[in-house]
Structures are given as structure tokens and as C-alpha cells.
Amino acid sequence: MALENNQKLKKPTFEEISTPYLESLYRSAWSMTHSDADSQDLVQETLLKAYKAYKNFDGRYPKAWLLTILRNTFINNVRKKQAQLLDNPDDPFNEINLSSNLETPEDIVIDPLFEERLEDSYNNLSPDYRQVVDLVDLDGLSYKEAAQKLDVPVGTVMSRLHRARNNIKNQLERSEEA
Amino acid sequence: MFFWNQIKCEQTKYLIQTYLDGEMSQKEVIKLTKHLERCTPCDKDRYVYMKIKQSLKMRSIQVNPEVINSLHNYVRRLDEF
């Protein structure tokens, strides 16, 4: 009976499942493109693709589903641009772009599942550790600046920071094994 | 001349993070890079620490509410396509 009722439940609209994650999509896009205009374009392209594929979506993990489409769209776009450059060897920017291949598109993007697990690991950090992670990783302060702000020696900032990240790494590895 | 095993693997967890934070001298960077080129487990660690730092950095990105509104309007208009 319960199953029958569940089956009769109406599938949420695309707007309902996508709206709560627009900010996450935009943040992810920005971390890849570092530009407001490119981030908006990337998110819109992602939403259009997701909308077209929505009828085949099973409704589970919408955030991961949307972020995966975003990630793949970004990787495809970068590959297309690289292919265009290879087709045009006279392009003066070609040399620069071809030599700056230290980062692959996969290096730039963040896996949606990794991001979710990292969120949990970050929230499990002790306040002392989280404080120093916030100053250095989120606010971009140097070790010296963070030390001044917290009124502790630079060595303390470094040891807290390194322990915090090791803690996150260990938690991520444990959750991957689980 | 630098030897790739001049740095021990136990030290790299610490050094990789200092490197990713931009707090390492050029001389130390060369030593670490030589080690990572030859040591796959340590290079995998570098990749994980890089992803952790990227992911944490993403939390600090400020999002203009107007941008989210315009994306929301875009979603609403998708039905018209």
C-alpha cells in the first residue's frame, strides 16, 4: 500500500530539484573558470543539459547529478578549445597554451562526491583547526598573517594547519573505504 | 645536483602542504618536485592535498544574490525552450 502511494507521488519539477543547488553550481563553476561571465555561461549550459536529461533522471542525489553534468560540461568545453587551437597552428597563442599543459581539466574540477565528503570532514574539525583552515585556505592569509591574527607563533599555525588537513585526508580515505 | 631521494617520504606530507600554500623557497620546491617525479605514492598525496585546498577555497567564493536570481529565472524559462 505504502509502495503504491509512493509510486503515485508526483515527480518534482526540474525547477524544484535544481533551485536549491544553484549557488553550489555557481561556486563550482567559479572555482573552474575564475570568471563571473564564464561561470554563468557554464551553469546555464549545465542547466539546459540537465533539463533535457531530466525525464531519465531517477531523482536520487540531485546535487551530485547536477555537479557531475557541470564537471563534464567544463571538461568537454576545455577539450573543444584545445582541439580548436591544435587545428590552428598559426594562432600566436598556440605556443603558450600548448606549453601550459601542466594542469589537465580533470585537475581543475572537483569531484562532486569528494566535495560532499570534504564538507563532512571540515565540519568534524575541532574549532582550533577549523579557525586556521579558514584563515589560510578560505581567506588566503599567509602563515605569518594568520599567526598575527591569532596571536600565536607561526610554527603553531603550521602545525595546526597541517594536522587539520591530515585529519581531513584521513577522514576522506576512511569514507572512501567504507 | 639534487637526488630525488634527498627527501624522505615521511617528510613530504608536511612539505607538500607548505608548497601548496606558497610558503616554500625555490630551492626546496626543486627538491620536492624531484621527489614527486619519482615517487608515485607521494605524488598521489600531492594530488589529494591539492584537491582538499581547492575544495576548501571554493567555500570562500562570494556569490552575488542577483546572479542566483538570474539563474533561477533562467530555470523558469527553460520550459519555453
Side-chain angles (χ1 to χ4, degrees), chain A residues 14-15 18-19 23 26-28 31 40 44 48 51 106-107 109-110 114-115 119 122 137-138 142-143 158 161-162 165-166 169, chain B residues 14 17-18 21 23 45 47-49 51-61 63 67-68 70-72 74-76 78-79:
Chain A
F14 180 72
E15 185 186 342
S18 61
T19 302
E23 193 167 324
Y26 186 82
R27 277 180 202 278
S28 289
S31 75
Q40 283 208 54
Q44 288 188 355
L48 181 59
Y51 177 78
E106 284 83 354
D107 280 342
V109 301
I110 294 167
F114 181 91
E115 195 199 321
E119 177 86 24
Y122 169 83
D137 285 330
L138 277 70
S142 67
Y143 292 166
M158 289 168 78
L161 188 63
H162 293 172
R165 295 203 194 109
N166 286 343
K169 184 170 174 282
Chain B
Y14 186 82
Q17 295 190 54
T18 314
D21 290 333
E23 301 263 359
D45 277 348
Y47 187 77
V48 175
Y49 284 117
K51 288 287 169 194
I52 290 172
K53 196 168 169 68
Q54 268 181 349
S55 221
L56 289 167
K57 178 76 192 156
M58 207 167 74
R59 301 171 61 90
S60 69
I61 296 168
V63 185
V67 171
I68 302 303
S70 100
L71 289 171
H72 194 188
Y74 179 79
V75 171
R76 285 198 190 114
L78 279 173
D79 270 330

Short mmCIF file of all heavy atoms in Angstrom, two decimals, chain A residues 14-15 18-19 23 26-28 31 40 44 48 51 106-107 109-110 114-115 119 122 137-138 142-143 158 161-162 165-166 169, chain B residues 14 17-18 21 23 45 47-49 51-61 63 67-68 70-72 74-76 78-79:
data_model
loop_
_atom_site.label_atom_id
_atom_site.label_comp_id
_atom_site.label_asym_id
_atom_site.label_seq_id
_atom_site.Cartn_x
_atom_site.Cartn_y
_atom_site.Cartn_z
N PHE A 14 11.67 20.16 -12.59
CA PHE A 14 13.10 20.45 -12.72
C PHE A 14 13.46 21.68 -11.89
O PHE A 14 14.50 21.72 -11.24
CB PHE A 14 13.47 20.66 -14.20
CG PHE A 14 14.93 20.97 -14.37
CD1 PHE A 14 15.88 19.98 -14.18
CD2 PHE A 14 15.36 22.25 -14.69
CE1 PHE A 14 17.24 20.25 -14.30
CE2 PHE A 14 16.71 22.53 -14.81
CZ PHE A 14 17.65 21.53 -14.62
N GLU A 15 12.56 22.65 -11.88
CA GLU A 15 12.81 23.87 -11.10
C GLU A 15 12.95 23.53 -9.62
O GLU A 15 13.85 24.03 -8.93
CB GLU A 15 11.67 24.86 -11.31
CG GLU A 15 11.93 26.19 -10.62
CD GLU A 15 10.74 27.15 -10.70
OE1 GLU A 15 9.86 26.95 -11.54
OE2 GLU A 15 10.73 28.09 -9.89
N SER A 18 16.36 21.74 -9.00
CA SER A 18 17.61 22.46 -9.31
C SER A 18 17.81 23.73 -8.47
O SER A 18 18.95 24.08 -8.15
CB SER A 18 17.67 22.80 -10.80
OG SER A 18 16.59 23.63 -11.15
N THR A 19 16.71 24.39 -8.10
CA THR A 19 16.83 25.68 -7.41
C THR A 19 17.69 25.63 -6.14
O THR A 19 18.53 26.52 -5.93
CB THR A 19 15.43 26.25 -7.11
OG1 THR A 19 14.75 26.37 -8.36
CG2 THR A 19 15.52 27.62 -6.46
N GLU A 23 23.45 27.88 -6.11
CA GLU A 23 24.63 28.50 -5.53
C GLU A 23 25.84 27.54 -5.57
O GLU A 23 26.95 27.95 -5.91
CB GLU A 23 24.34 28.95 -4.09
CG GLU A 23 25.40 29.88 -3.57
CD GLU A 23 25.02 30.60 -2.30
OE1 GLU A 23 23.83 30.97 -2.13
OE2 GLU A 23 25.92 30.80 -1.47
N TYR A 26 27.13 27.42 -9.04
CA TYR A 26 27.87 28.64 -9.39
C TYR A 26 29.26 28.64 -8.74
O TYR A 26 30.26 28.96 -9.39
CB TYR A 26 27.08 29.88 -8.98
CG TYR A 26 27.74 31.14 -9.46
CD1 TYR A 26 27.56 31.59 -10.77
CD2 TYR A 26 28.58 31.87 -8.63
CE1 TYR A 26 28.20 32.72 -11.23
CE2 TYR A 26 29.22 33.01 -9.08
CZ TYR A 26 29.02 33.44 -10.37
OH TYR A 26 29.66 34.56 -10.82
N ARG A 27 29.33 28.25 -7.46
CA ARG A 27 30.63 28.19 -6.77
C ARG A 27 31.58 27.22 -7.48
O ARG A 27 32.75 27.52 -7.69
CB ARG A 27 30.45 27.69 -5.34
CG ARG A 27 30.05 28.73 -4.37
CD ARG A 27 29.90 28.09 -2.99
NE ARG A 27 29.04 28.89 -2.16
CZ ARG A 27 29.46 29.96 -1.50
NH1 ARG A 27 30.71 30.31 -1.55
NH2 ARG A 27 28.63 30.67 -0.78
N SER A 28 31.05 26.06 -7.83
CA SER A 28 31.89 25.07 -8.53
C SER A 28 32.36 25.62 -9.86
O SER A 28 33.53 25.47 -10.24
CB SER A 28 31.11 23.77 -8.79
OG SER A 28 30.92 23.10 -7.60
N SER A 31 35.09 28.12 -9.36
CA SER A 31 36.38 27.51 -9.00
C SER A 31 37.09 26.97 -10.24
O SER A 31 38.30 26.81 -10.25
CB SER A 31 36.19 26.41 -7.96
OG SER A 31 35.66 25.25 -8.56
N GLN A 40 28.60 31.94 -15.22
CA GLN A 40 27.16 32.00 -15.55
C GLN A 40 26.87 31.18 -16.81
O GLN A 40 25.90 30.43 -16.86
CB GLN A 40 26.72 33.45 -15.78
CG GLN A 40 26.56 34.19 -14.47
CD GLN A 40 25.53 35.31 -14.59
OE1 GLN A 40 24.41 35.08 -15.01
NE2 GLN A 40 25.91 36.51 -14.22
N GLN A 44 24.48 27.91 -16.94
CA GLN A 44 23.30 27.88 -17.83
C GLN A 44 23.37 26.70 -18.79
O GLN A 44 22.37 26.02 -19.01
CB GLN A 44 23.20 29.19 -18.60
CG GLN A 44 22.77 30.35 -17.70
CD GLN A 44 22.48 31.62 -18.47
OE1 GLN A 44 22.67 31.69 -19.67
NE2 GLN A 44 22.01 32.63 -17.77
N LEU A 48 20.64 23.66 -18.90
CA LEU A 48 19.94 23.28 -20.13
C LEU A 48 20.11 21.78 -20.42
O LEU A 48 19.15 21.07 -20.72
CB LEU A 48 20.46 24.12 -21.31
CG LEU A 48 19.82 23.86 -22.67
CD1 LEU A 48 18.31 24.10 -22.64
CD2 LEU A 48 20.46 24.76 -23.75
N TYR A 51 18.14 19.83 -17.85
CA TYR A 51 16.71 19.93 -18.13
C TYR A 51 16.31 18.93 -19.22
O TYR A 51 15.30 18.22 -19.10
CB TYR A 51 16.38 21.36 -18.57
CG TYR A 51 14.94 21.57 -18.94
CD1 TYR A 51 13.97 21.72 -17.95
CD2 TYR A 51 14.54 21.61 -20.27
CE1 TYR A 51 12.64 21.91 -18.29
CE2 TYR A 51 13.21 21.80 -20.61
CZ TYR A 51 12.27 21.94 -19.61
OH TYR A 51 10.95 22.13 -19.94
N GLU A 106 40.79 17.81 -15.71
CA GLU A 106 40.43 16.98 -14.54
C GLU A 106 41.09 17.49 -13.26
O GLU A 106 40.57 17.29 -12.17
CB GLU A 106 40.83 15.51 -14.77
CG GLU A 106 39.93 14.75 -15.72
CD GLU A 106 40.28 14.97 -17.18
OE1 GLU A 106 41.16 15.81 -17.45
OE2 GLU A 106 39.65 14.33 -18.04
N ASP A 107 42.28 18.13 -13.41
CA ASP A 107 42.96 18.68 -12.23
C ASP A 107 42.18 19.86 -11.66
O ASP A 107 42.21 20.12 -10.47
CB ASP A 107 44.36 19.20 -12.60
CG ASP A 107 45.37 18.07 -12.70
OD1 ASP A 107 45.10 16.99 -12.18
OD2 ASP A 107 46.42 18.30 -13.32
N VAL A 109 38.80 20.55 -11.97
CA VAL A 109 37.46 20.31 -11.45
C VAL A 109 37.51 19.51 -10.15
O VAL A 109 38.47 18.79 -9.89
CB VAL A 109 36.54 19.56 -12.45
CG1 VAL A 109 36.40 20.35 -13.72
CG2 VAL A 109 37.06 18.17 -12.73
N ILE A 110 36.45 19.66 -9.38
CA ILE A 110 36.36 18.92 -8.12
C ILE A 110 35.22 17.92 -8.23
O ILE A 110 34.11 18.27 -8.61
CB ILE A 110 36.14 19.89 -6.94
CG1 ILE A 110 37.39 20.76 -6.77
CG2 ILE A 110 35.85 19.14 -5.65
CD1 ILE A 110 37.20 21.94 -5.88
N PHE A 114 33.53 13.99 -3.78
CA PHE A 114 34.66 14.43 -2.97
C PHE A 114 34.26 15.69 -2.20
O PHE A 114 34.52 15.81 -1.01
CB PHE A 114 35.85 14.73 -3.90
CG PHE A 114 37.09 15.18 -3.19
CD1 PHE A 114 38.05 14.26 -2.79
CD2 PHE A 114 37.32 16.52 -2.93
CE1 PHE A 114 39.20 14.67 -2.13
CE2 PHE A 114 38.46 16.94 -2.28
CZ PHE A 114 39.41 16.02 -1.88
N GLU A 115 33.58 16.59 -2.90
CA GLU A 115 33.17 17.85 -2.28
C GLU A 115 32.23 17.61 -1.10
O GLU A 115 32.36 18.22 -0.05
CB GLU A 115 32.49 18.71 -3.34
CG GLU A 115 32.35 20.15 -2.94
CD GLU A 115 31.31 20.86 -3.75
OE1 GLU A 115 31.23 20.60 -4.96
OE2 GLU A 115 30.57 21.66 -3.16
N GLU A 119 33.04 18.33 2.89
CA GLU A 119 32.16 19.17 3.71
C GLU A 119 31.99 18.52 5.10
O GLU A 119 32.12 19.18 6.12
CB GLU A 119 30.80 19.29 3.01
CG GLU A 119 29.74 20.05 3.75
CD GLU A 119 29.81 21.55 3.49
OE1 GLU A 119 30.35 21.93 2.44
OE2 GLU A 119 29.34 22.30 4.36
N TYR A 122 35.34 18.62 7.06
CA TYR A 122 35.60 20.00 7.53
C TYR A 122 34.75 20.29 8.77
O TYR A 122 35.24 20.85 9.76
CB TYR A 122 35.29 20.99 6.41
CG TYR A 122 35.27 22.45 6.81
CD1 TYR A 122 36.44 23.18 6.89
CD2 TYR A 122 34.06 23.08 7.10
CE1 TYR A 122 36.42 24.51 7.26
CE2 TYR A 122 34.04 24.41 7.48
CZ TYR A 122 35.21 25.13 7.56
OH TYR A 122 35.18 26.44 7.94
N ASP A 137 43.18 28.82 4.07
CA ASP A 137 42.60 28.26 2.83
C ASP A 137 41.43 29.08 2.29
O ASP A 137 41.26 29.21 1.09
CB ASP A 137 42.16 26.81 3.05
CG ASP A 137 43.35 25.88 3.09
OD1 ASP A 137 44.35 26.19 2.44
OD2 ASP A 137 43.28 24.84 3.77
N LEU A 138 40.61 29.60 3.18
CA LEU A 138 39.44 30.34 2.69
C LEU A 138 39.77 31.81 2.47
O LEU A 138 39.43 32.37 1.43
CB LEU A 138 38.26 30.21 3.67
CG LEU A 138 37.41 28.93 3.51
CD1 LEU A 138 38.14 27.70 3.96
CD2 LEU A 138 36.11 29.07 4.29
N SER A 142 48.70 34.46 4.63
CA SER A 142 49.97 33.73 4.73
C SER A 142 50.06 33.16 6.15
O SER A 142 49.28 33.55 7.04
CB SER A 142 51.14 34.67 4.47
OG SER A 142 51.22 35.62 5.52
N TYR A 143 51.04 32.27 6.37
CA TYR A 143 51.22 31.71 7.72
C TYR A 143 51.47 32.85 8.73
O TYR A 143 50.93 32.83 9.83
CB TYR A 143 52.42 30.76 7.75
CG TYR A 143 52.27 29.48 6.96
CD1 TYR A 143 53.38 28.69 6.67
CD2 TYR A 143 51.03 29.02 6.52
CE1 TYR A 143 53.28 27.51 5.96
CE2 TYR A 143 50.92 27.85 5.80
CZ TYR A 143 52.05 27.10 5.52
OH TYR A 143 51.94 25.92 4.81
N MET A 158 51.36 26.55 11.43
CA MET A 158 51.75 25.47 10.51
C MET A 158 51.34 24.11 11.04
O MET A 158 50.78 23.29 10.32
CB MET A 158 53.26 25.52 10.26
CG MET A 158 53.68 26.71 9.43
SD MET A 158 55.45 26.96 9.42
CE MET A 158 55.96 25.72 8.24
N LEU A 161 47.52 23.70 10.98
CA LEU A 161 47.04 23.61 9.60
C LEU A 161 47.34 22.24 9.00
O LEU A 161 46.48 21.60 8.39
CB LEU A 161 47.72 24.71 8.78
CG LEU A 161 47.26 24.95 7.37
CD1 LEU A 161 45.81 25.41 7.35
CD2 LEU A 161 48.12 26.02 6.72
N HIS A 162 48.57 21.79 9.21
CA HIS A 162 48.97 20.50 8.64
C HIS A 162 48.20 19.36 9.29
O HIS A 162 47.77 18.43 8.61
CB HIS A 162 50.48 20.31 8.78
CG HIS A 162 51.26 21.28 7.94
ND1 HIS A 162 52.62 21.43 8.01
CD2 HIS A 162 50.85 22.17 7.00
CE1 HIS A 162 53.02 22.36 7.15
NE2 HIS A 162 51.96 22.83 6.54
N ARG A 165 44.60 19.38 7.89
CA ARG A 165 44.47 18.80 6.53
C ARG A 165 44.72 17.30 6.55
O ARG A 165 44.08 16.55 5.82
CB ARG A 165 45.42 19.51 5.57
CG ARG A 165 45.08 20.99 5.35
CD ARG A 165 45.66 21.43 4.03
NE ARG A 165 45.68 22.87 3.87
CZ ARG A 165 46.79 23.61 3.89
NH1 ARG A 165 47.97 23.03 4.07
NH2 ARG A 165 46.72 24.91 3.70
N ASN A 166 45.68 16.86 7.40
CA ASN A 166 45.89 15.40 7.52
C ASN A 166 44.64 14.73 8.06
O ASN A 166 44.27 13.64 7.62
CB ASN A 166 47.07 15.10 8.46
CG ASN A 166 48.40 15.41 7.80
OD1 ASN A 166 48.46 15.54 6.58
ND2 ASN A 166 49.44 15.54 8.60
N LYS A 169 42.20 14.54 5.26
CA LYS A 169 42.65 13.50 4.31
C LYS A 169 42.33 12.10 4.87
O LYS A 169 41.81 11.24 4.15
CB LYS A 169 44.14 13.66 4.06
CG LYS A 169 44.71 12.70 3.04
CD LYS A 169 46.13 13.11 2.69
CE LYS A 169 46.80 12.10 1.78
NZ LYS A 169 47.26 10.91 2.46
N TYR B 14 54.21 17.03 5.00
CA TYR B 14 54.40 18.37 5.55
C TYR B 14 54.85 19.34 4.44
O TYR B 14 54.30 20.42 4.28
CB TYR B 14 55.47 18.24 6.64
CG TYR B 14 55.73 19.48 7.43
CD1 TYR B 14 54.92 19.83 8.49
CD2 TYR B 14 56.83 20.29 7.14
CE1 TYR B 14 55.18 20.96 9.24
CE2 TYR B 14 57.09 21.42 7.88
CZ TYR B 14 56.27 21.76 8.92
OH TYR B 14 56.53 22.88 9.66
N GLN B 17 52.23 20.39 1.68
CA GLN B 17 51.28 21.43 2.12
C GLN B 17 51.94 22.81 2.13
O GLN B 17 51.33 23.80 1.72
CB GLN B 17 50.77 21.08 3.51
CG GLN B 17 49.95 19.81 3.53
CD GLN B 17 49.27 19.63 4.86
OE1 GLN B 17 48.56 20.51 5.34
NE2 GLN B 17 49.47 18.49 5.48
N THR B 18 53.19 22.86 2.57
CA THR B 18 53.91 24.14 2.59
C THR B 18 54.05 24.66 1.15
O THR B 18 53.89 25.85 0.88
CB THR B 18 55.30 23.96 3.23
OG1 THR B 18 55.14 23.20 4.41
CG2 THR B 18 55.94 25.28 3.58
N ASP B 21 50.76 25.95 -0.17
CA ASP B 21 50.42 27.24 0.45
C ASP B 21 51.31 28.37 -0.06
O ASP B 21 51.16 29.51 0.38
CB ASP B 21 50.57 27.14 1.98
CG ASP B 21 49.50 26.26 2.59
OD1 ASP B 21 48.41 26.15 2.00
OD2 ASP B 21 49.76 25.64 3.65
N GLU B 23 54.49 28.75 0.49
CA GLU B 23 55.38 29.20 1.58
C GLU B 23 56.73 28.50 1.51
O GLU B 23 57.42 28.40 2.52
CB GLU B 23 54.71 28.92 2.94
CG GLU B 23 53.37 29.58 3.14
CD GLU B 23 53.46 30.88 3.93
OE1 GLU B 23 54.55 31.27 4.34
OE2 GLU B 23 52.39 31.52 4.10
N ASP B 45 49.58 11.77 -2.94
CA ASP B 45 49.29 12.62 -1.76
C ASP B 45 49.19 14.08 -2.19
O ASP B 45 48.32 14.82 -1.74
CB ASP B 45 50.38 12.49 -0.70
CG ASP B 45 50.16 11.28 0.18
OD1 ASP B 45 49.08 10.69 0.13
OD2 ASP B 45 51.10 10.92 0.92
N TYR B 47 48.28 15.25 -5.00
CA TYR B 47 47.02 15.44 -5.71
C TYR B 47 45.86 15.58 -4.72
O TYR B 47 45.01 16.47 -4.86
CB TYR B 47 46.79 14.24 -6.65
CG TYR B 47 45.60 14.40 -7.55
CD1 TYR B 47 45.66 15.21 -8.68
CD2 TYR B 47 44.40 13.73 -7.28
CE1 TYR B 47 44.56 15.36 -9.51
CE2 TYR B 47 43.30 13.88 -8.11
CZ TYR B 47 43.39 14.69 -9.22
OH TYR B 47 42.30 14.85 -10.05
N VAL B 48 45.85 14.73 -3.68
CA VAL B 48 44.76 14.79 -2.69
C VAL B 48 44.81 16.12 -1.92
O VAL B 48 43.79 16.78 -1.75
CB VAL B 48 44.82 13.59 -1.71
CG1 VAL B 48 43.76 13.72 -0.62
CG2 VAL B 48 44.62 12.28 -2.46
N TYR B 49 46.02 16.51 -1.49
CA TYR B 49 46.12 17.79 -0.75
C TYR B 49 45.72 18.97 -1.64
O TYR B 49 45.11 19.93 -1.17
CB TYR B 49 47.55 18.01 -0.23
CG TYR B 49 47.87 17.18 0.99
CD1 TYR B 49 48.86 16.21 0.97
CD2 TYR B 49 47.16 17.35 2.18
CE1 TYR B 49 49.15 15.44 2.09
CE2 TYR B 49 47.43 16.59 3.30
CZ TYR B 49 48.43 15.64 3.25
OH TYR B 49 48.69 14.89 4.36
N LYS B 51 43.49 18.87 -4.05
CA LYS B 51 42.02 18.85 -4.14
C LYS B 51 41.37 19.38 -2.86
O LYS B 51 40.36 20.07 -2.89
CB LYS B 51 41.53 17.41 -4.42
CG LYS B 51 41.82 16.94 -5.82
CD LYS B 51 40.90 17.62 -6.81
CE LYS B 51 41.31 17.38 -8.23
NZ LYS B 51 40.66 18.27 -9.19
N ILE B 52 41.98 19.01 -1.72
CA ILE B 52 41.44 19.49 -0.43
C ILE B 52 41.53 21.01 -0.39
O ILE B 52 40.56 21.69 -0.05
CB ILE B 52 42.22 18.87 0.76
CG1 ILE B 52 41.90 17.37 0.88
CG2 ILE B 52 41.89 19.58 2.07
CD1 ILE B 52 42.75 16.63 1.90
N LYS B 53 42.66 21.56 -0.78
CA LYS B 53 42.85 23.01 -0.74
C LYS B 53 41.89 23.71 -1.71
O LYS B 53 41.26 24.71 -1.36
CB LYS B 53 44.31 23.35 -1.07
CG LYS B 53 44.69 24.77 -0.67
CD LYS B 53 46.17 25.02 -0.72
CE LYS B 53 46.47 26.50 -0.58
NZ LYS B 53 46.17 27.07 0.73
N GLN B 54 41.77 23.15 -2.92
CA GLN B 54 40.84 23.72 -3.93
C GLN B 54 39.41 23.74 -3.38
O GLN B 54 38.69 24.71 -3.52
CB GLN B 54 40.80 22.82 -5.17
CG GLN B 54 41.77 23.16 -6.25
CD GLN B 54 41.61 22.20 -7.43
OE1 GLN B 54 40.92 21.18 -7.35
NE2 GLN B 54 42.24 22.53 -8.51
N SER B 55 39.03 22.61 -2.81
CA SER B 55 37.66 22.45 -2.33
C SER B 55 37.36 23.40 -1.17
O SER B 55 36.27 23.96 -1.07
CB SER B 55 37.47 21.00 -1.89
OG SER B 55 36.24 20.53 -2.28
N LEU B 56 38.35 23.56 -0.27
CA LEU B 56 38.16 24.49 0.85
C LEU B 56 38.08 25.93 0.35
O LEU B 56 37.25 26.71 0.80
CB LEU B 56 39.32 24.35 1.85
CG LEU B 56 39.34 23.06 2.67
CD1 LEU B 56 40.68 22.90 3.38
CD2 LEU B 56 38.21 23.05 3.70
N LYS B 57 38.92 26.24 -0.63
CA LYS B 57 38.95 27.59 -1.19
C LYS B 57 37.58 27.96 -1.80
O LYS B 57 37.12 29.09 -1.73
CB LYS B 57 40.06 27.66 -2.26
CG LYS B 57 40.19 28.98 -2.98
CD LYS B 57 40.87 30.01 -2.12
CE LYS B 57 40.76 31.42 -2.68
NZ LYS B 57 40.90 32.44 -1.66
N MET B 58 36.94 26.92 -2.37
CA MET B 58 35.65 27.15 -3.04
C MET B 58 34.59 27.68 -2.07
O MET B 58 33.68 28.39 -2.44
CB MET B 58 35.18 25.83 -3.64
CG MET B 58 34.29 25.99 -4.83
SD MET B 58 34.13 24.43 -5.66
CE MET B 58 33.07 23.56 -4.55
N ARG B 59 34.77 27.31 -0.78
CA ARG B 59 33.79 27.75 0.22
C ARG B 59 33.82 29.26 0.42
O ARG B 59 32.87 29.84 0.93
CB ARG B 59 34.06 27.07 1.57
CG ARG B 59 34.00 25.56 1.51
CD ARG B 59 34.48 24.97 2.83
NE ARG B 59 33.64 25.40 3.93
CZ ARG B 59 32.58 24.77 4.35
NH1 ARG B 59 32.22 23.65 3.79
NH2 ARG B 59 31.86 25.23 5.35
N SER B 60 34.96 29.88 0.04
CA SER B 60 35.08 31.33 0.30
C SER B 60 34.56 32.17 -0.87
O SER B 60 34.56 33.39 -0.78
CB SER B 60 36.54 31.69 0.58
OG SER B 60 37.29 31.54 -0.60
N ILE B 61 34.15 31.53 -1.97
CA ILE B 61 33.71 32.30 -3.13
C ILE B 61 32.40 33.02 -2.78
O ILE B 61 31.43 32.39 -2.36
CB ILE B 61 33.52 31.37 -4.37
CG1 ILE B 61 34.85 30.77 -4.78
CG2 ILE B 61 32.88 32.13 -5.53
CD1 ILE B 61 34.75 29.63 -5.77
N VAL B 63 29.03 34.81 -3.61
CA VAL B 63 28.08 34.74 -4.72
C VAL B 63 27.08 35.88 -4.61
O VAL B 63 26.43 36.06 -3.57
CB VAL B 63 27.33 33.38 -4.74
CG1 VAL B 63 26.45 33.28 -5.96
CG2 VAL B 63 28.31 32.23 -4.71
N VAL B 67 22.97 37.17 -9.16
CA VAL B 67 23.39 36.11 -10.11
C VAL B 67 22.51 34.88 -9.90
O VAL B 67 22.03 34.27 -10.86
CB VAL B 67 24.88 35.75 -9.89
CG1 VAL B 67 25.27 34.52 -10.70
CG2 VAL B 67 25.78 36.91 -10.27
N ILE B 68 22.26 34.57 -8.63
CA ILE B 68 21.42 33.39 -8.34
C ILE B 68 19.99 33.64 -8.83
O ILE B 68 19.35 32.76 -9.40
CB ILE B 68 21.45 33.05 -6.81
CG1 ILE B 68 22.90 32.80 -6.36
CG2 ILE B 68 20.56 31.86 -6.49
CD1 ILE B 68 23.64 31.70 -7.11
N SER B 70 19.14 35.52 -11.33
CA SER B 70 19.09 35.42 -12.79
C SER B 70 19.16 33.96 -13.24
O SER B 70 18.51 33.57 -14.21
CB SER B 70 20.18 36.30 -13.42
OG SER B 70 21.27 35.56 -13.81
N LEU B 71 19.91 33.13 -12.50
CA LEU B 71 19.94 31.70 -12.83
C LEU B 71 18.58 31.05 -12.57
O LEU B 71 18.11 30.19 -13.31
CB LEU B 71 21.03 30.98 -12.04
CG LEU B 71 22.47 31.29 -12.44
CD1 LEU B 71 23.46 30.69 -11.45
CD2 LEU B 71 22.78 30.78 -13.85
N HIS B 72 17.94 31.51 -11.48
CA HIS B 72 16.61 30.98 -11.16
C HIS B 72 15.61 31.33 -12.27
O HIS B 72 14.81 30.50 -12.69
CB HIS B 72 16.16 31.53 -9.81
CG HIS B 72 14.99 30.79 -9.24
ND1 HIS B 72 14.33 31.21 -8.12
CD2 HIS B 72 14.35 29.68 -9.66
CE1 HIS B 72 13.33 30.37 -7.88
NE2 HIS B 72 13.33 29.44 -8.79
N TYR B 74 16.38 31.83 -15.31
CA TYR B 74 16.76 31.00 -16.46
C TYR B 74 16.09 29.62 -16.36
O TYR B 74 15.55 29.11 -17.34
CB TYR B 74 18.28 30.88 -16.51
CG TYR B 74 18.77 30.02 -17.65
CD1 TYR B 74 18.85 30.53 -18.95
CD2 TYR B 74 19.15 28.69 -17.45
CE1 TYR B 74 19.28 29.75 -20.00
CE2 TYR B 74 19.59 27.90 -18.49
CZ TYR B 74 19.66 28.43 -19.76
OH TYR B 74 20.08 27.64 -20.81
N VAL B 75 16.12 29.06 -15.15
CA VAL B 75 15.48 27.73 -14.94
C VAL B 75 13.99 27.82 -15.25
O VAL B 75 13.43 26.94 -15.93
CB VAL B 75 15.70 27.25 -13.48
CG1 VAL B 75 14.87 26.01 -13.19
CG2 VAL B 75 17.16 26.95 -13.23
N ARG B 76 13.36 28.89 -14.80
CA ARG B 76 11.91 29.05 -15.05
C ARG B 76 11.62 29.12 -16.54
O ARG B 76 10.62 28.61 -17.02
CB ARG B 76 11.40 30.33 -14.37
CG ARG B 76 11.28 30.19 -12.88
CD ARG B 76 10.37 31.29 -12.34
NE ARG B 76 10.42 31.34 -10.91
CZ ARG B 76 10.90 32.35 -10.19
NH1 ARG B 76 11.37 33.43 -10.80
NH2 ARG B 76 10.91 32.31 -8.89
N LEU B 78 13.26 27.74 -18.90
CA LEU B 78 13.63 26.54 -19.66
C LEU B 78 12.42 25.85 -20.29
O LEU B 78 12.51 25.26 -21.36
CB LEU B 78 14.39 25.54 -18.77
CG LEU B 78 15.87 25.84 -18.58
CD1 LEU B 78 16.47 24.90 -17.57
CD2 LEU B 78 16.62 25.76 -19.89
N ASP B 79 11.30 25.94 -19.62
CA ASP B 79 10.07 25.32 -20.15
C ASP B 79 9.67 25.91 -21.49
O ASP B 79 8.97 25.27 -22.26
CB ASP B 79 8.92 25.52 -19.15
CG ASP B 79 8.86 24.35 -18.18
OD1 ASP B 79 9.23 23.24 -18.60
OD2 ASP B 79 8.45 24.58 -17.03
#
